Amino acid sequence: SEEPRPRILVIDDEPRIAKAVARLLAANYETEHCVDAVVALERIDAGERFDAVVCDVLMIPLMGIGFHRELVERASPLASRVLFVTGGALSASDHIYLQDQGCELIRKPLRRDVLLKSVRAILSR
């Protein structure tokens, strides 16, 4: 039987970007996208299984860092498999948090090769 493809959840509060990132990954992975990190947490809490998350840092209502803190609080295995993306400048405290947590961050505009390489690295953790 075939190995199931890893499932990646893409979270970005801009629907166009969430869809585009999911599309970039779709050839290699099973993807889902979501425009609200609160909804993403609800899906994870409800038992939906994801192998990794690609998450924008600067979002409303819940920022990427806040989403990650929630995963850590829940002791979710996903906490170590979040790839952050940003198009904006991060605050010093966000930078420190990401470093302390060992989170990977890549910059927008995303290049498909960089995105795939980063997702592969995260999945191998």
Side-chain angles (χ1 to χ4, degrees):
S1 71
E2 281 220 348
E3 277 281 299
R5 301 197 316 162
R7 279 190 93 204
I8 313 289
L9 177 61
V10 176
I11 312 170
D12 196 303
D13 61 353
E14 292 182 55
R16 209 171 40 80
I17 294 178
K19 282 196 190 91
V21 174
R23 252 202 319 274
L24 286 175
L25 294 166
N28 303 63
Y29 304 105
E30 196 184 313
T31 60
E32 291 280 331
H33 64 273
C34 187
V35 295
D36 183 334
V38 175
V39 174
L41 280 171
E42 286 166 1
R43 290 173 65 172
I44 292 163
D45 286 344
E48 237 186 291
R49 187 189 64 77
F50 298 103
D51 297 294
V53 179
V54 176
C55 184
D56 190 27
V57 177
L58 306 169
M59 296 186 290
I60 48 170
L62 180 62
M63 293 276 225
I65 303 284
F67 167 76
H68 190 269
R69 284 186 202 278
E70 291 291 329
L71 290 179
V72 170
E73 211 166 276
R74 289 161 166 73
S76 168
L78 269 179
S80 66
R81 293 200 299 273
V82 178
L83 171 65
F84 284 103
V85 296
T86 187
L90 295 193
S91 69
S93 64
D94 284 355
H95 264 299
I96 290 165
Y97 178 84
L98 294 178
Q99 275 178 334
D100 285 350
Q101 293 289 327
C103 295
E104 177 137 2
L105 174 72
I106 58 177
R107 302 240 163 230
K108 294 175 181 174
L110 295 178
R111 287 187 16 216
R112 184 167 185 270
D113 57 335
V114 173
L115 178 65
L116 287 171
K117 184 170 161 275
S118 299
V119 168
R120 269 199 307 275
I122 292 247
L123 285 168
S124 69
R125 286 185 173 178

